[in-house]
Amino acid sequence: MARKRKRSGDGINTPLDLTVEILHRLPAKSLVRTRCVSKQWRTIIDDYIVKNSVVTRSLSQPSPDAPHFILDTLLDCGVVFSYTYSRQIRSERNQIVEKMFAMTATAREFQYVRGLIGFWSCTRGQFTLHNPTTRRSVPLPDTGIPPRRFYLFGYDPMRNQYKVACIARPTSEPTQSCKVFTLGDLGKEWRNIKCCIERHSPFGTAVCIGGTIYYTATAENQRKVIISFNVVSEKFSHVFQVPEKLNVRYGKSSLVNYQGKLGCICSNYLNNEDMDVWVMENAEKQEWSKITHMAVLQGIPRSMCRFGVTHPGGEIVIVPYFYYYLGSEGYYYNPNINSRRSFVIQSPRLGGTDLVRIWPVTDPVENIMSLM
């Protein structure tokens, strides 16, 4: 039966299901502009499009307009944060496009989750969210936890919610303070939760896989461990003992999403030319598998020790962990064909003597959700 459109005055009332179907076909940036037309259109897009369509579509069809690398650039005037994406122009030539999104006096740590960037200072503490698609940034309220805190940013697939957890660094107190903030929560407040595991000091970059955040930490007696935080239940559930030959140290390894499982990539413990890929095969039994890729790191500076795994391609990205000169090479390694290729990130506003830290975005997507 054909849909009927009703005239109202000089306009036409389009049926809701037809409006939603039309909006579903629009690219993300067009949806961002369309939300500004009226309150009614904003409500329709938020209720029917944002929650179910844009990120899912972007995951299956990666957009060239989603960020591919996050840059932390050290300048005399402070630290500038930006992200880059590759835009194809003419035949096969690629152009690196850069967008600035923040500037502060101190360096930051970053986490990228389903189209949103979360960043914070280890010393000053406030957590800020940035949406590269809408180009909006929002700082979260202060946690009330003393400085030297650590944040975990993750996604709850059961309730379609983004959450941020804040953990206090170990002090003389018998327990560690921990709080959780839910994006979109009307109260806009941090909630106290129990940190029911041994005292520990988090370090490195966390990774969120299927509603669970994994991060590395130093526990009592200087033991290196991997801890999991369930975003859905808001509970710390596992303390994984690190295998003896797994080189989990600050600046030496990276936790990654390896085909839907927790992975850790690092240089081989015997030499710096081979690369080890460890995969958690059974979390309950703490069973790991390991694949060693021979000579992958040969000829690469030892500072090249931040890793990522692209989705859905499965290539391993290799970039510097600490500040390095802009314009230096990074690498992609394809384990399926044992092939390595290099790339260079250049900035139209910076020179080759500027120092940058690079975070690879391995699952770039577009997301038009409102941050608060």
Side-chain angles (χ1 to χ4, degrees), residues 139-152:
L140 298 190
D142 186 68
T143 63
I145 293 177
R148 305 299 301 174
R149 62 195 79 165
F150 188 85
Y151 289 94
L152 303 170

Side-chain angles (χ1 to χ4, degrees), residues 44 89 125 196 257 274 300 321 335:
I44 291 174
I89 52 175
C196 301
N257 180 346
D274 299 341
I300 296 179
Y321 198 98

Side-chain angles (χ1 to χ4, degrees), residues 60-88:
S60 60
Q61 301 174 348
S63 169
D65 289 338
H68 285 64
F69 296 94
I70 300 171
L71 305 182
D72 170 352
T73 308
L74 190 62
L75 301 174
D76 292 337
C77 57
V79 185
V80 174
F81 310 120
S82 59
Y83 51 85
T84 66
Y85 56 89
S86 178
R87 174 169 293 174
Q88 195 171 59

Side-chain angles (χ1 to χ4, degrees), residues 32 48 73 139 143 173 211 223 227 230 259 269 301 310-311 324 364:
V32 172
Y48 294 93
T73 308
T143 63
E173 298 294 326
R223 291 181 299 113
I227 297 175
N230 190 302
Q259 300 175 4
Y269 76 104
T310 64
H311 298 279
Y324 215 69

Side-chain angles (χ1 to χ4, degrees), residues 116 127 129 138 140-141 143 152-156 159-166 179-193 229-234 369-372:
L116 302 182
F127 189 92
L129 283 166
V138 173
L140 298 190
T143 63
L152 303 170
F153 181 32
Y155 174 72
D156 174 357
R159 300 182 181 88
N160 192 28
Q161 293 178 329
Y162 293 82
K163 296 181 181 180
V164 182
C166 180
K179 295 185 177 183
V180 169
F181 187 96
T182 301
L183 271 67
D185 186 4
L186 296 178
K188 297 182 180 180
E189 294 181 349
W190 291 89
R191 295 176 284 105
N192 287 304
I193 63 172
F229 176 75
N230 190 302
V231 183
V232 180
S233 64
E234 300 179 0
M369 71 171 288
S370 176
L371 294 179
M372 296 294 284

Side-chain angles (χ1 to χ4, degrees), residues 76-126:
D76 292 337
C77 57
V79 185
V80 174
F81 310 120
S82 59
Y83 51 85
T84 66
Y85 56 89
S86 178
R87 174 169 293 174
Q88 195 171 59
I89 52 175
R90 302 176 183 172
S91 61
E92 297 180 353
R93 184 184 169 199
N94 283 337
Q95 177 186 25
I96 297 296
V97 181
E98 182 186 18
K99 300 291 183 182
M100 292 177 54
F101 66 90
M103 179 176 177
T104 66
T106 59
R108 292 292 190 267
E109 296 296 324
F110 295 87
Q111 284 182 245
Y112 180 90
V113 178
R114 287 174 60 90
L116 302 182
I117 300 172
F119 60 99
W120 75 96
S121 166
C122 294
T123 55
R124 303 197 177 186
Q126 190 174 31

